[in-house]
Structure formats: structure tokens, C-alpha cells
Amino acid sequence: MEGQNKEFEEKIVLNILGFSNILKQINSTKEDLIRFWKSIGFTPNGKDEYDIPLFIKKAGLY
């Protein structure tokens, strides 16, 4: 049941964010949010102009 909940959560979040089959990039400094983004497939991608870590998810990976 736990796996189903995670899959459901991922679908809701991705739908809310309007994800489509294009490259997506987000930034975050909060550890709990970073863990969440990583759990749905985002990977580190450097830092932005404010030195905030960036995370990326490429098309077709969700």
C-alpha cells in the first residue's frame, strides 16, 4: 500500500505543477523538500544565481 501512496502523491504533485514532457528545474534549500524532489526523480544540477541548489528532471522520466 505504501508504494501506491507514493505513486499517487507523485501524480498529484506533478499535475499541480503542470509537468509535461519537457525539461523541468526547481530550486530548494529546505532539506525535507530536497528529499521529496529527489524521491520523485529530480537530481542535483548546480546552483542558481543566489547560490541555491538546483534540481532537474528530464523529459520522459515521470
Side-chain angles (χ1 to χ4, degrees):
M1 186 68 154
E2 186 175 311
Q4 290 174 335
N5 286 339
K6 183 176 179 182
E7 182 179 328
F8 179 70
E9 288 173 5
E10 288 177 20
K11 286 180 181 180
I12 289 175
V13 169
L14 295 175
N15 284 332
I16 289 170
L17 293 175
F19 278 64
S20 59
N21 286 330
I22 59 173
L23 182 77
K24 293 295 179 180
Q25 184 165 276
I26 53 118
N27 64 9
S28 184
T29 57
K30 295 183 178 181
E31 286 300 317
D32 56 340
L33 288 175
I34 290 171
R35 280 192 307 275
F36 171 74
W37 293 122
K38 286 181 175 181
S39 78
I40 61 171
F42 280 82
T43 57
N45 191 41
K47 294 186 177 188
D48 67 11
E49 65 271 19
Y50 303 104
D51 206 33
I52 296 174
L54 294 169
F55 298 88
I56 195 167
K57 188 162 187 171
K58 296 181 182 178
L61 298 178
Y62 38 86

